[in-house]
Amino acid sequence: MERLTKNRERVKEILCNSDHPLTAYDISKECPEMSLTTIYRALDYLVRNGHVKSFTFNEYTYFLPSERHEDFFLCTSCGRFFQLEHCFASSYEQNLREKGMVPKDHLILITGFCSECNEKLHLQTQM
Amino acid sequence: MERLTKNRERVKEILCNSDHPLTAYDISKECPEMSLTTIYRALDYLVRNGHVKSFTFNEYTYFLPSERHEDFFLCTSCGRFFQLEHCFASSYEQNLREKGMVPKDHLILITGFCSECNEKLHLQTQM
DNA sequence: CTAACTGCAAACGGTTTGCACCTGT
DNA sequence: ACAGGTGCAAACCGTTTGCAGTTAG
């Protein structure tokens, strides 16, 4: 029978304490004493048991607590995630249910420049 | 100077004729005479020159004509994409611009079961 | 003629797996 | 004692790159 070990609890804790999705590599930087293999297996366990969920974007798989919703703005310049305040997905989902589909989850990712990076880039082009 | 060769035109044509995003591998099945390397390089050329755009989901990079919008329902049972009729991204984007962010692109992906797969799964559980 | 295109094989990088060892019950 | 957890090294697989040969303007 599978167990929620110290390592696995620690991985979950790191994800819960972070306000944005993390990659396995991000987690390994927080606890270098744990091998990457163990982190991947911990994440696999946590996903299988419903503690966390994941999505893949630009080569990387990101993990986040499953109760968190997955609507983000990603700044392609500094790589930071910003959570979107309102979730409009329910309107989509209503639409789909009317057609017989059964939506389970969603990923909304808007990319662009955050205000800080946008300012920096503006200053550069003015020089 | 880079050229829009026969191969590259063919790749673009395949993407334009498809009603859903395709992976490099999907394309290679349509034209097995072209090497995977050439397909990847063609896709790279087409993205750089604004003919097509891409997004990554679950290990695979999907390509689609750049004028197409990227709002899909993905059936996790049969793997088919269904285009969503209405694009609600503008509601998010308005919100972001008010905070000084500059949205450029978006990916909206709702996952679940399509009506056919849902029916099949229903029948199975009834037996 | 020459710059760009192509295919092969090898490299790359994030993720997974086989195996031997360790740990908790 | 034994099922399950862990770390290392190797495998895996989608994608990229180096290189030598080919093609098109």
Side-chain angles (χ1 to χ4, degrees):
Chain A
M1 196 54 199
E2 282 191 313
R3 290 174 294 218
L4 180 57
T5 61
K6 277 268 163 59
N7 279 340
R8 294 174 179 182
E9 241 170 327
R10 178 103 178 77
V11 169
K12 183 178 178 182
E13 189 191 310
I14 290 169
L15 289 172
C16 288
N17 289 344
S18 167
D19 64 350
H20 61 276
L22 299 175
T23 65
Y25 181 69
D26 294 333
I27 295 167
S28 85
K29 279 195 296 187
E30 296 252 338
C31 43
E33 73 284 0
M34 211 184 300
S35 83
L36 251 183
T37 305
T38 302
I39 291 170
Y40 278 112
R41 284 200 268 234
L43 289 167
D44 184 56
Y45 165 88
L46 292 168
V47 169
R48 280 200 327 278
N49 291 76
H51 296 93
V52 312
K53 58 184 178 177
S54 66
F55 64 90
T56 317
F57 185 72
N58 279 357
E59 345 266 80
Y60 294 94
T61 305
Y62 292 88
F63 296 86
L64 71 168
S66 34
E67 63 277 11
R68 208 76 69 74
H69 76 204
E70 290 179 69
D71 305 10
F72 301 101
F73 176 75
L74 170 63
C75 176
T76 53
S77 173
C78 64
R80 279 188 297 167
F81 281 99
F82 299 84
Q83 189 129 10
L84 298 176
E85 283 172 17
H86 306 291
C87 174
F88 293 100
S90 48
S91 13
Y92 280 92
E93 291 176 355
Q94 183 51 33
N95 209 301
L96 289 164
R97 268 190 288 269
E98 281 164 19
K99 297 206 189 65
M101 297 181 178
V102 185
K104 303 267 186 208
D105 207 349
H106 63 263
L107 164 63
I108 294 181
L109 190 61
I110 300 184
T111 54
F113 295 141
C114 72
S115 45
E116 287 173 42
C117 287
N118 189 48
E119 270 178 45
K120 274 183 212 155
L121 294 164
H122 250 249
L123 288 172
Q124 279 174 16
T125 52
Q126 281 172 0
M127 290 195 286
Chain B
M1 194 55 198
E2 281 190 314
R3 291 173 297 218
L4 181 57
T5 61
K6 278 264 163 60
N7 279 339
R8 294 172 178 183
E9 241 169 328
R10 179 104 179 75
V11 170
K12 181 178 178 179
E13 190 190 310
I14 290 169
L15 288 172
C16 288
N17 290 344
S18 167
D19 66 350
H20 61 276
L22 298 175
T23 65
Y25 181 70
D26 293 334
I27 295 167
S28 86
K29 279 194 296 187
E30 295 254 336
C31 43
E33 72 284 1
M34 211 183 302
S35 82
L36 250 184
T37 305
T38 302
I39 292 170
Y40 277 113
R41 284 200 267 235
L43 289 166
D44 184 55
Y45 165 88
L46 293 168
V47 169
R48 278 199 327 278
N49 291 77
H51 296 93
V52 313
K53 58 183 177 178
S54 66
F55 64 90
T56 318
F57 185 71
N58 279 358
E59 342 269 83
Y60 294 94
T61 304
Y62 291 87
F63 296 86
L64 71 167
S66 32
E67 63 277 11
R68 208 77 68 75
H69 74 205
E70 291 178 66
D71 304 9
F72 301 101
F73 176 75
L74 170 62
C75 177
T76 53
S77 173
C78 63
R80 279 187 298 167
F81 282 98
F82 300 84
Q83 189 129 12
L84 298 177
E85 283 171 18
H86 307 292
C87 174
F88 290 96
S90 49
S91 5
Y92 287 100
E93 291 174 355
Q94 181 53 32
N95 211 302
L96 288 164
R97 268 189 288 270
E98 282 165 18
K99 297 207 189 65
M101 298 183 177
V102 186
K104 303 264 185 212
D105 207 349
H106 64 264
L107 163 62
I108 293 183
L109 191 63
I110 300 184
T111 53
F113 295 141
C114 72
S115 45
E116 288 173 42
C117 287
N118 189 48
E119 269 178 46
K120 273 182 215 155
L121 293 166
H122 251 249
L123 288 173
Q124 280 175 15
T125 52
Q126 279 171 2
M127 290 194 290

